[in-house]
């Protein structure tokens, strides 16, 4: 998949791809009704790309380390799909007006995000421990995935070292 090429890119390139584009479009087009639609589309595409990257990273780390659990992988995929669909439902159905429902969806989405990030972090740590004989904190790595806007600067060099095309066995 072409997403594998992102493993060898710099942290700056991933930062701009995942976060810079939506921020730039939002700054340029904010205020007009058509601009709001474009901002939502760009933000949704950015989130979809980020989730696709997490999915591919999860698959490749599993292959690299020999970790294959069909039940956990299926749950992981369902959680990623839910993380993509919840914001679409919130904006499409006008759920934002109902404060209780909005708050419930935010808490549910954050819980899903934490579970997804913990799953990928565990795989990354297992691969690092097996191949590089390095042990790191699970909590730190999970937090770096949850707050990817900052964590990408620390995670990308580790991912590049493990999975870039030129270091594959």
């Amino acid at each position: 998949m072409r997403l594998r090429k992102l493993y060898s890119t710099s942290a700056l390139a991933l930062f701009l791809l995942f976060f810079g584009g939506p921020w730039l479009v939002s700054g340029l087009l904010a205020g007009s009704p058509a601009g709001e639609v474009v901002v939502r589309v760009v933000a949704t595409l950015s989130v979809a790309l980020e989730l696709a990257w997490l999915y591919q990273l999860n698959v490749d780390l599993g292959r690299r380390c020999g970790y294959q659990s069909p039940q956990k992988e299926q749950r992981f995929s369902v959680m990623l799909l839910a993380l993509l669909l919840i914001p679409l439902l919130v904006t499409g159905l006008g759920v934002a007006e109902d404060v209780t429902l909005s708050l419930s969806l935010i808490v549910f989405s954050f819980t899903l995000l934490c579970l997804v990030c913990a799953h990928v972090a565990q795989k990354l740590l297992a691969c690092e421990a097996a191949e590089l004989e390095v042990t790191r904190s699970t909590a730190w790595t999970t937090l770096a995935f949850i707050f990817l806007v900052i964590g990408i600067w620390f995670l990308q060099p580790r991912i590049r070292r493990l999975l870039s095309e030129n270091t594959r066995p």
Side-chain angles (χ1 to χ4, degrees):
M1 213 172 168
R2 295 200 188 276
L3 289 172
R4 288 187 180 127
K5 292 184 179 186
L6 294 178
Y7 299 149
S8 60
T9 63
S10 68
L12 177 63
L14 283 180
F15 177 82
L16 293 174
L17 185 63
F18 292 154
F19 307 106
W23 287 342
L24 180 65
V25 169
S26 175
L28 293 175
L29 300 177
S32 70
E36 294 298 322
V37 172
V38 171
V39 168
R40 284 185 183 170
V41 168
V42 169
T44 302
L45 290 175
S46 176
V47 168
L49 180 64
E50 187 179 332
L51 293 176
W53 177 77
L54 273 176
Y55 174 79
Q56 190 63 47
L57 179 63
N58 178 60
V59 168
D60 289 338
L61 286 172
R63 287 182 186 152
R64 182 85 175 201
C65 298
Y67 179 78
Q68 302 291 338
S69 173
Q71 294 86 10
K72 284 187 178 183
E73 299 308 311
Q74 188 173 20
R75 277 183 273 165
F76 177 79
S77 299
V78 168
M79 287 187 289
L80 280 179
L81 186 62
L83 281 172
L84 181 62
L85 292 178
I86 288 172
L88 294 175
L89 291 174
V90 167
T91 58
L93 298 177
V95 177
E97 290 89 30
D98 186 1
V99 176
T100 306
L101 185 57
S102 294
L103 186 59
S104 314
L105 286 174
I106 288 170
V107 169
F108 180 66
S109 295
F110 188 72
T111 303
L112 284 178
L113 179 66
C114 289
L115 292 172
V116 163
C117 292
H119 181 79
V120 177
Q122 287 174 348
K123 280 190 177 181
L124 178 63
L125 291 170
C127 284
E128 283 182 332
E131 293 191 18
L132 305 174
E133 297 177 5
V134 175
T135 56
R136 298 181 194 255
S137 167
T138 305
W140 159 245
T141 305
T142 302
L143 283 174
F145 274 110
I146 290 172
F147 300 105
L148 198 59
V149 69
I150 297 168
I152 196 70
W153 301 98
F154 304 101
L155 293 170
Q156 181 59 14
R158 294 166 58 185
I159 292 167
R160 184 182 321 133
R161 197 173 353 186
L162 276 174
L163 297 175
S164 67
E165 294 297 325
N166 15 347
T167 61
R168 289 187 175 261

